[in-house]
Amino acid sequence: MTAGPGARLLRSPTSSGRATFLELFFDLAFVVALTRVSQRFAELSDDTGWALVAGFGRTLLLFLALWLIWSHTAWITSRYEPEQAVIQAVVVGTMFAGLVLAVTLPRGMEERALPFAVAYLSVMVVRPLVVAVALRGHPRRLVPFRLAAWAVASAPLWLAGALGPDRIRLPLWAAALAVDYLAWALGWPLPWLGASAVNRWRIAGMHLADRHQQMILIALGESILVIGMVFGGADYSAERAAAFAVAFTTSALLWRLYFYRAGLLLTEALDRAGMPGKLGTASERTHLLIVLSVLVTGVGYEMVIDHPYGPPRPSWLLFVVGGPVLFLLARMRLEYEIFGRVARSLLIGTVVLLLFTPALFHWTPMVALSVVAVVLAVVALLDARRSRRRPLEVSAPPVGRETSGDRDFEA
């Protein structure tokens, strides 16, 4: 590693692996943002057909933009020393931009498109330039320069979508976001410089695992907030009280299924992986799906508590059943990343929910949510039964099995 003034920004071996209080403070902006995402999803409850698909796609795009900013921040504080003033300034600045995104998000695809795009681009372009300047000639400065260059390349699409007619906003922003995600997947390649080997990055595995686990808890907390606010604001009835109880039980089961035991062993898996950057990249995408599934399921809670025994609406199943199905699929992916296999109980639960879905088109929302809760409970019980009287499993991540002796790590 080349020494120099910029080297002080790099995480040292003695740096704490736990998330800092500043990062937890930073997450507050994303609590607000995730709540706004849920609100946009909830507005789709009466839509059908193309209107439902387009509305879901617009909200999903806004969520993916938020996730890219949050996940980049998590990687920054996993690779650089979060106690350094420059990194703290970067985190605080990103938090402010995150609040702007949260405020504009409810109408972020409509009349507030420009401030949303400007806040997003200010993070994607300015933040890596600040880090690059702070690194002062250190070889790692090329990575943030790559990020800034690709963000500048996608900026015209973001701005054209924000300033142009509403009808072209979704395709332009979808293309811009595809560029941003593709650049990350490819390592932000540039002429003559090539790509950054993200899979070989040095990262603080404990820290990155902490950040992902905390985001899962934030998403679950947002769903609990939805349950409490909807039930507290509605006229009390025994039917709504029953829906409230089932919704809470479902959230508790999602928590149990995530943390036992794959989510709990994420830190160990990153420590055991020969190439933690590779496993961290895969895990980040998995946690994106898990957070999205929890948000979508939370919207289903709101619909069921409001009208537990109302007429069945096919669009509601996208949230009431679709969210848990996506959760189980993502949880299977996490299981493979941690243990190198997939639990049969998760597969059974997914298949059962998919088989029940056609029948649930003809039943009330309360019945659909109850079926989901029962299936998740059975999955949790099967997991517990399989582990009973057996030694606790240790992680055996198949992702990034190369050892440090086989590959050189990129700083």
Side-chain angles (χ1 to χ4, degrees), residues 43-269:
E43 292 172 1
L44 305 175
S45 59
D46 295 326
D47 291 343
T48 57
W50 173 247
L52 176 63
V53 173
F56 192 91
R58 285 192 290 268
T59 305
L60 177 61
L61 188 149
L62 296 175
F63 166 75
L64 290 175
L66 287 172
W67 180 265
L68 195 61
I69 288 177
W70 182 88
S71 58
H72 277 194
T73 306
W75 278 81
I76 286 173
T77 51
S78 286
R79 278 169 56 81
Y80 302 104
E81 179 54 64
E83 299 298 336
Q84 287 290 327
V86 172
I87 301 303
Q88 291 181 344
V90 164
V91 173
V92 172
T94 305
M95 179 181 181
F96 178 76
L99 280 175
V100 175
L101 292 171
V103 170
T104 58
L105 195 146
R107 305 296 296 170
M109 291 292 292
E110 293 80 24
E111 66 271 13
R112 295 181 182 176
L114 183 59
F116 184 92
V118 169
Y120 175 83
L121 290 174
S122 68
V123 175
M124 297 298 289
V125 176
V126 176
R127 181 173 65 180
L129 290 177
V130 171
V131 174
V133 171
L135 286 170
R136 297 188 194 176
H138 193 280
R140 192 181 286 187
R141 75 191 186 284
L142 294 178
V143 174
F145 271 131
R146 286 186 177 97
L147 270 69
W150 274 90
V152 169
S154 68
L157 292 172
W158 285 103
L159 294 175
L163 296 170
D166 290 352
R167 67 179 181 276
I168 67 171
R169 184 165 301 134
L170 180 59
L172 285 178
W173 280 13
L177 197 63
V179 169
D180 291 340
Y181 271 89
L182 181 62
W184 190 6
L186 297 178
W188 305 279
L190 291 177
W192 301 290
L193 293 178
S196 175
V198 180
N199 289 342
R200 297 202 299 272
W201 279 5
R202 293 183 183 273
I203 59 171
M206 177 185 293
H207 177 271
L208 195 61
D210 251 13
R211 300 300 288 130
H212 286 152
Q213 291 164 347
Q214 286 159 5
M215 182 51 72
I216 295 298
L217 289 175
I218 288 171
L220 287 169
E222 196 277 336
S223 71
I224 295 295
L225 179 64
V226 167
I227 293 171
M229 291 183 65
V230 175
F231 183 58
D235 294 334
Y236 176 81
S237 68
E239 292 82 4
R240 287 194 174 97
F244 170 81
V246 174
F248 175 80
T249 301
T250 304
S251 279
L253 289 168
L254 294 179
W255 167 82
R256 172 61 164 68
L257 289 172
Y258 170 78
F259 280 102
Y260 190 83
R261 295 193 72 243
L264 195 63
L265 294 180
L266 182 58
T267 298
E268 178 186 308

Side-chain angles (χ1 to χ4, degrees), residues 304-323:
V304 175
I305 294 173
D306 268 343
H307 306 283
Y309 293 99
R313 299 182 185 180
S315 61
W316 288 23
L317 291 181
L318 175 65
F319 302 98
V320 178
V321 180

Side-chain angles (χ1 to χ4, degrees), residues 314-353:
S315 61
W316 288 23
L317 291 181
L318 175 65
F319 302 98
V320 178
V321 180
V325 167
L326 179 60
F327 176 88
L328 290 174
L329 291 172
R331 180 59 178 75
M332 280 192 277
R333 177 182 162 112
L334 181 65
E335 184 98 355
Y336 177 77
E337 291 166 356
I338 302 300
F339 297 115
R341 49 101 177 135
V342 174
R344 188 179 302 173
S345 57
L346 295 169
L347 183 60
I348 292 173
T350 305
V351 171
V352 169
L353 282 180

